[in-house]
Amino acid sequence: MDRAGLADFLRRRREVLRPADVGLPDGVRRRTPGLRREEVAQLAGVSTDHYSRLEQARGSAPSAAVVAALARALRCDADQRDHLFHLAGLSAPPRRAGRHVRPGLITLAGRLVDVPVCIYSDLGEVLWRNDLVAALVGERDLRPGREGNVYWRWFTVPSTRELAPEEDWPRLSAAHVSDLRATFSRRAGDRDVTALVHDLLARSVEFRELWERHEVAVRRSDVKSFIHPEVGLIRLHCEVLLTPEEDVKLLAYFPVEGTDAAEKLELLRVIGTQDFRTAG
């Protein structure tokens, strides 16, 4: 690990970014250019103390998940991301695997402030989401590893399903499996997707039964219902935009016509994001 090089690179990337570049308000007058350390930490989902120590060339070495999150927060392109991994003493992940999100895609997603938007990897890892998605699902911070994987959590963490009406569970389970099957077929033997599938087969009888059907379908649109504890049932159209390599997908949720979803989303923009800011 090149501590000094890592610290210098993080600082220089932070200083060239403006709040508007990452979807943050300018706020009060800034004494130094660029983002504040706490803003980068918030965007990456790490503690301000941990990030500050990295910029000061001290503290514990960052994990691969933290480095990937910092690369996204600092809007690194693929070459800058690889350099960041090397400075941290880690091997850069294969470029084919969709854990890196191009800065332009995050910029596009960040401009869709009035609808819930999130970005997933082709393995179901949540890589980025806006405040409205956080308010919708009741989670501000991204979870690392399997804890942030929608397929894994759906089949192994029962409380995850409380966000959806019970009558939708069978359809959503089948859609998750057919979507993952498409990735499994396209990525043919890649270690990460193979490990995820094998672990799900071992942990979930439901997943195993659905997997044995060999149904394959990449989801490009859906209608999903969310149960929110404060605003109730919200019906949303889900549009899925895939990158050319199909390794990253952007999900945008729009109100279903003829429902009160638009009014409820607007209410969530007020009460949900305010609650998160107060908690922070």
Side-chain angles (χ1 to χ4, degrees), residues 100-114:
H100 180 67
V101 186
R102 297 196 310 272
L105 188 61
I106 297 180
T107 300
L108 171 64
R111 292 183 179 276
L112 302 174
V113 295
D114 59 343

Side-chain angles (χ1 to χ4, degrees), residues 71 76-87 90-95:
C76 294
D77 61 24
D79 294 329
Q80 291 166 334
R81 178 209 63 172
D82 291 354
H83 182 57
L84 188 59
F85 268 85
H86 292 316
L87 290 172
L90 301 167
S91 297
R95 294 200 178 191

Side-chain angles (χ1 to χ4, degrees), residues 38 49 92 94 97 103 111 118 135 145 164 198 219 225 232 252 256 260:
E38 58 266 25
D49 181 67
R111 292 183 179 276
C118 55
H198 285 180
R219 276 183 291 181
S225 297
V256 170
D260 59 357

Side-chain angles (χ1 to χ4, degrees), residues 54-73:
L54 291 176
E55 269 206 19
Q56 295 163 356
R58 58 193 184 92
S60 59
S63 66
V66 167
V67 174
L70 289 173
R72 291 190 292 271

